[in-house]
Amino acid sequence: MTAFLLIWSPKKWPWPELPDVAKRVAAGEAVADVWGCGFSRSILPGDRVFIHRVTLEPKGVFASGYVTRAPYEVPDATKKRGYRLCVDFVYDYLVDAHHEVVITRDELRKHPFSVQTWDAQTSGISIKPMAEGALEKLWIERTGKRARPVVAPHADAPAKSTKEQASQAWSAANKAAAGKRAARVAMYFSSPKRPNSPPGDGEGNSGDT
């Protein structure tokens, strides 16, 4: 089993639902979630994930879980490639990181945790074996050992994000980006062409140099 790092930046993704989600997990509910995983396609069902809060204090690792669905593409007009990769997972431990974390960023600066890049710009990077073993050991010491949560088998539909407010903001940005792209394409095709001019790229750029 491999472990991967997921990143949460409260500056970019507000999560007012987090306190309630943490209470549900603490009560023993198998709470599923979906998270972007950058460019990583190597994550497999059953792999471990840890979530690290960055940019604002308290910084550190505050959640863990198990992947339930391998990376899949979600249309995203804000991305140059037109989509983003996401994974589904189920929490086995979660605290309200607005107020506390389990392992602080300062602790992660010490060996053997220091071999890992914790302040990654994107989610989905693998945690190096040396850091992973130490992380899991300390995690169990502080949170206790628990059985893996059992989630009901799902169809091809992805899990619903617990970050409802952030998801709505992303959806609005996605629609706005798609609208701008459509406007650029419409402008290109409606503009008069000079005879024998080379074709454009469909993004509002002509073939002229």
Side-chain angles (χ1 to χ4, degrees):
M1 179 175 62
T2 306
F4 292 85
L5 185 66
L6 303 180
I7 300 296
W8 177 49
S9 170
K11 283 186 176 181
K12 294 181 179 179
W13 296 95
W15 198 357
E17 301 86 1
L18 176 55
D20 290 334
V21 178
K23 289 178 182 177
R24 290 165 56 196
V25 174
E29 183 179 344
V31 179
D33 210 341
V34 56
W35 213 277
C37 59
F39 295 92
S40 179
R41 292 182 179 271
S42 61
I43 304 174
L44 299 174
D47 281 342
R48 202 84 163 99
V49 289
F50 290 91
I51 307 180
H52 184 214
R53 174 181 163 120
V54 299
T55 67
L56 294 175
E57 295 291 351
K59 300 176 184 177
V61 183
F62 67 96
S64 61
Y66 293 90
V67 176
T68 57
R69 186 181 183 186
Y72 55 94
E73 297 177 4
V74 176
D76 188 346
T78 67
K79 301 291 186 183
K80 188 174 182 179
R81 55 184 173 173
Y83 66 88
R84 60 175 176 157
L85 288 177
C86 293
V87 290
D88 293 351
F89 65 96
V90 59
Y91 293 102
D92 71 321
Y93 195 84
L94 172 68
V95 296
D96 181 2
H98 291 115
H99 305 291
E100 62 175 324
V101 295
V102 178
I103 302 175
T104 68
R105 181 64 183 89
D106 285 341
E107 290 178 301
L108 296 174
R109 300 182 195 281
K110 302 174 183 178
H111 187 78
F113 304 111
S114 57
V115 302
Q116 177 70 32
T117 299
W118 297 101
D119 298 318
Q121 296 298 311
T122 184
S123 294
I125 66 171
S126 61
I127 300 177
K128 297 178 180 179
M130 181 182 292
E132 177 189 349
L135 177 66
E136 193 70 70
K137 180 180 179 181
L138 182 57
W139 194 258
I140 291 175
E141 289 176 359
R142 295 188 177 179
T143 68
K145 194 167 185 178
R146 294 166 305 283
R148 184 181 304 192
V150 178
V151 293
H154 58 72
D156 291 334
K160 183 179 179 181
S161 174
T162 62
K163 300 181 290 299
E164 189 65 32
Q165 188 178 94
S167 297
Q168 291 173 357
W170 168 77
S171 180
N174 202 10
K175 290 179 180 178
K180 290 180 180 179
R181 179 171 296 177
R184 289 199 302 269
V185 173
M187 183 181 297
Y188 166 75
F189 283 109
S190 63
S191 61
K193 300 292 189 301
R194 295 193 302 273
N196 301 321
S197 63
D201 60 5
E203 293 290 340
N205 301 312
S206 72
D208 298 325
T209 57

